[in-house]
Amino acid sequence: MPLDKNGIAQRIAKELEDGYYVNLGIGIPTLVANYIPEGISVEFQSENGILGMGPFPTEAEVDADLINAGKQTITSLPGAAFFDSANSFAMIRGQHVDMTVLGAMEVSEQGDIANWKIPGKMVKGMGGAMDLVASADNIIVAMMHTNREGESKLLKKCTLPLTGVRCVKKVVTNLAVMDIRDGAFVLRELAPGVSIEDVQQATEGTLVIEGDVPVMDL
Amino acid sequence: MPLDKNGIAQRIAKELEDGYYVNLGIGIPTLVANYIPEGISVEFQSENGILGMGPFPTEAEVDADLINAGKQTITSLPGAAFFDSANSFAMIRGQHVDMTVLGAMEVSEQGDIANWKIPGKMVKGMGGAMDLVASADNIIVAMMHTNREGESKLLKKCTLPLTGVRCVKKVVTNLAVMDIRDGAFVLRELAPGVSIEDVQQATEGTLVIEGDVPVMDL
Amino acid sequence: MIRKVVKDAETAVTGLKDNMTLMLGGFGLCGIPENSIAAIRETGVKGLTCISNNAGVDDFGLGLLLQTQQIKKMISSYVGENDLFEKLMLSGELEVELIPQGTLAERCRAAGAGIPAFYTPAGYGTEVALGKEVRWFKGKPHILEHAFEADFAFVKAWKGDEAGNLIFKGTARNFNPMMAMAGKITVAEVEELVPAGELDPNFIHTPGIFVQRIFEGKAYEKRIEQRTVRQAG
Amino acid sequence: MIRKVVKDAETAVTGLKDNMTLMLGGFGLCGIPENSIAAIRETGVKGLTCISNNAGVDDFGLGLLLQTQQIKKMISSYVGENDLFEKLMLSGELEVELIPQGTLAERCRAAGAGIPAFYTPAGYGTEVALGKEVRWFKGKPHILEHAFEADFAFVKAWKGDEAGNLIFKGTARNFNPMMAMAGKITVAEVEELVPAGELDPNFIHTPGIFVQRIFEGKAYEKRIEQRTVRQAG
């Protein structure tokens, strides 16, 4: 059975390592914070100016001056710090953030990503996504393997305007975990109950299968 | 009678305007702070990270963590702010400082300045001088008109390694006040008891005299 | 100490003219100069270019200047939550330039810091890079970006003093400090204006040298876009 | 919260090797990492390139590493007050690169901020510009300067917490925040180390993300180079 959004988040959370600073995009990535493995400490950065982001506030704690990049009200944890946007993107461009998780409309086998613009539709903007993907060494894309029309989102070449080129290293979808290497998606793990053929069928880009492919350990 | 160092500082202080942020170099420029005209407010910036620099401390006030760019102990005034060196030079390069006063070994009729290096002698470094002269719109040089050997320091062309090119707009010496314009020193004011001939004799660069030259009003 | 205090928002926008370029602090509706925006609307100036990370919502923030069609062009990173914006943009009445958020922040800082241009990896290989110089550093492509210019910057702080020193609160800091550095005239509105000497000089976010005018704002609404709460206990 | 605490200076310099490039905070002797310098001396590593605004005095600050000839090259803006320095430099035992102070600060910040290069007017037309690209912006010449690289940065703060957040005091801040951003490994020594949560997140000068190791230093001498006083009263 393919994963749901929470399952994808849960799998990505296993990529967290002790001491990581992490930037989570809007959507599925946000859910990753709910699955931090036991015994490790990570800190969440939000690009509007906080490190050490905590859970959503109680009604009594709500503060209009304390939001995340999705404009949701948040709290701060002990050891938190606030800073301005220039300093925030200094952290991002300067590769001080250890892991970046974000959603995508399309990913190519070269590691290109498109997630900000659909020609003919209202364009809201790239926000911090272009800075994030151009800078981070460790970018994980969290998304469904196919779009609502059932078309693959893992392509030979992106059809939508790009957010960044050759930057995505790992993709976690409802079907599988894949690394991107040498112009191909390398299948690493399968979602429980999903077959290699399922993934092949849902992947338009080059899919490489090396040896046995384990089932995700969630 | 030519001015002494205090006289030069006193004359330069008359260039201060209400609301000016001012950076004073080491030596004669430092003395300018003693002659702020009545009724105007100015603030002194020191490039090591303070705005709103106050007088030297009393023995009881001495704080090793509070010094000026000359490494002297100082105090801060109400309304002061501390900041880091990047922000400090943002103020300087970004032309937020309204007036910069610094000393020089040589100034050319083009507005070039040399004040950091004498070939063959120990070179201590330019410190912030190159940033200051390259950035400021309003640079006043405070110096003696001639060196210890009696040679002019106002030259057609600097002989020493430059600190900046075409940047000095005004020179105040023990003999005169001069603007630098169109490749010449334009004589504006004479020190009390100093003649135009005195200035001509002490100036190797082109000296332009336009109409009557008043005596400095100190 | 140099006094920067003006009596109200109306006075603070003196000199604002048609077709000027403005920077406005804030992220979403957090930390926006509410009083200044109201005063800009009152002046009726037209043809503004506004540099601001977002464009407000229909009836708040920069949405108020969109209603009156005072804005000719928006330079932003994300302009989501605004129906009127979409309508004006699609009809061609509003020009929009979208810029990566970090580049937006850095171009503001560069403007204030006397850095005319810098290289950044953000946007390489995308339409953001079109027409821009590409240069490789350490095996990685970068594009050349230039400092902005702004006639006015409007920022909002938590506390300020008569000398123009500012302190921001929480994530309401965001773009305000860099924009304060960048404005030819920077207007700061603050929730609380105190005499010089009351703020600790060690904890000033924006030194007064960057601020030309300061006033205490009134009746801050501080609207929340996405009120998200958890159950207590 | 990510813990960064190490027990002492000796532990903090683990991994330091011959021929590495180091950044060291401070202006003159103000805000220098005294404990780290002592520990670096103890390691005996040689061939260091040190990026620091100044080079200490004969018997304090970086002068201590000059005594032991552990420094191969200094990158500074001003190296005045040091007889030993002069001797080593004139004899060719010490290489020196002098850089305008603002450029030094900005090259540190650029390193930490992922900006590989930027244009600055400082040094145009001087020997500092030799071999560098010149470009004109708005009628004014600028030169291209590159970000530094540093294996270690050693900074000194007033207070710090277990998460690596730092607060500096007065003008002891100077180069410390930018260098903290720039080190591959940044070691912060602080006068007072407190638990996470004790520092107000609104008034952190250097967020912990920039700091890899932190310890409470001992026996700060905080020597004053130019004690200058006025008469009380």
Side-chain angles (χ1 to χ4, degrees), chain A residues 56-57 65 73 117 124 127 134, chain C residues 79 101 127 140 222 228 230:
Chain A
F56 297 125
D65 292 326
T73 43
K117 183 175 181 176
K124 294 193 170 186
Chain C
V79 292
Q101 195 175 132
E127 62 184 56
K140 199 173 156 178
K222 301 218 269 187
T228 313
R230 70 176 201 277

Side-chain angles (χ1 to χ4, degrees), chain B residues 148-210:
Chain B
R148 282 175 204 170
E149 288 72 41
E151 298 161 341
S152 181
K153 296 169 71 174
L154 291 89
L155 307 174
K156 285 197 178 308
K157 206 168 177 316
C158 291
T159 64
L160 295 169
L162 294 182
T163 308
V165 295
R166 294 172 182 265
C167 51
V168 179
K169 304 290 197 310
K170 193 181 281 284
V171 183
V172 179
T173 72
N174 53 326
L175 302 184
V177 177
M178 288 143 294
D179 288 342
I180 294 180
R181 211 190 59 206
D182 303 333
F185 297 102
V186 181
L187 187 60
R188 289 296 180 211
E189 297 174 24
L190 293 166
V194 170
S195 69
I196 289 179
E197 292 68 34
D198 292 338
V199 178
Q200 277 174 321
Q201 201 161 21
T203 307
E204 193 249 6
T206 309
L207 186 72
V208 170
I209 294 123
E210 300 176 333

Side-chain angles (χ1 to χ4, degrees), chain A residues 56-57 61 63-67 71-73 82 84-85 89 93 117 122 124-127 131 134 162-163, chain C residues 54 77-79 86 100-103 120-122 126-127 140 169 171 173-175 222 226-230:
Chain A
F56 297 125
E61 288 170 339
D63 180 351
D65 292 326
L66 192 43
I67 64 171
K71 283 136 196 161
Q72 294 170 307
T73 43
F82 302 121
D84 66 40
S85 303
F89 283 91
R93 267 193 323 263
K117 183 175 181 176
M122 169 65 187
K124 294 193 170 186
M126 66 293 280
D131 307 275
L162 295 181
T163 308
Chain C
N54 313 92
S77 89
Y78 193 84
V79 292
E86 186 166 350
Q101 195 175 132
T103 299
T120 175
T126 76
E127 62 184 56
K140 199 173 156 178
K169 177 165 158 273
T171 57
R173 195 182 317 181
N174 54 64
F175 285 84
K222 301 218 269 187
Q226 305 284 343
R227 176 181 289 264
T228 313
V229 296
R230 70 176 201 277

Side-chain angles (χ1 to χ4, degrees), chain A residues 119-161:
Chain A
K121 288 183 82 170
M122 169 65 187
V123 181
K124 294 193 170 186
M126 66 293 280
M130 284 193 184
D131 307 275
L132 281 159
V133 301
S135 307
D137 257 346
N138 185 9
I139 300 173
I140 302 180
V141 164
M143 64 176 189
M144 303 306 281
H145 213 103
T146 52
N147 64 20
R148 283 176 203 166
E149 288 73 40
E151 299 161 341
S152 180
K153 296 168 74 173
L154 290 88
L155 307 174
K156 287 196 178 307
K157 205 168 177 314
C158 292
T159 65
L160 296 170

Side-chain angles (χ1 to χ4, degrees), chain B residues 126-139:
Chain B
M126 67 292 281
M130 283 193 185
D131 308 274
L132 281 159
V133 301
S135 306
D137 257 346
N138 185 9
I139 300 173

Side-chain angles (χ1 to χ4, degrees), chain B residues 56-57 61 63-67 71-73 82 84-85 89 93 117 122 124-127 131 134 162-163, chain D residues 54 77-79 86 99-103 120-122 126-127 140 169 171 173-175 222 226 228-230:
Chain B
F56 297 125
E61 289 169 339
D63 180 351
D65 293 325
L66 191 42
I67 64 170
K71 285 135 193 163
Q72 295 170 306
T73 44
F82 302 122
D84 66 38
S85 303
F89 282 91
R93 267 193 323 263
K117 184 175 182 176
M122 169 66 186
K124 293 193 170 184
M126 67 292 281
D131 308 274
L162 294 182
T163 308
Chain D
N54 313 91
S77 89
Y78 192 84
V79 292
E86 185 166 349
I99 288 180
Q101 194 174 133
T103 299
T120 174
T126 75
E127 63 184 55
K140 201 174 154 175
K169 179 166 157 273
T171 56
R173 194 182 318 181
N174 54 67
F175 284 84
K222 300 218 272 187
Q226 305 284 342
T228 314
V229 297
R230 70 174 202 279

Side-chain angles (χ1 to χ4, degrees), chain A residues 73-89:
Chain A
T73 43
I74 52 159
T75 56
S76 65
L77 297 174
F82 302 121
F83 37 84
D84 66 40
S85 303
N87 219 3
S88 181
F89 283 91

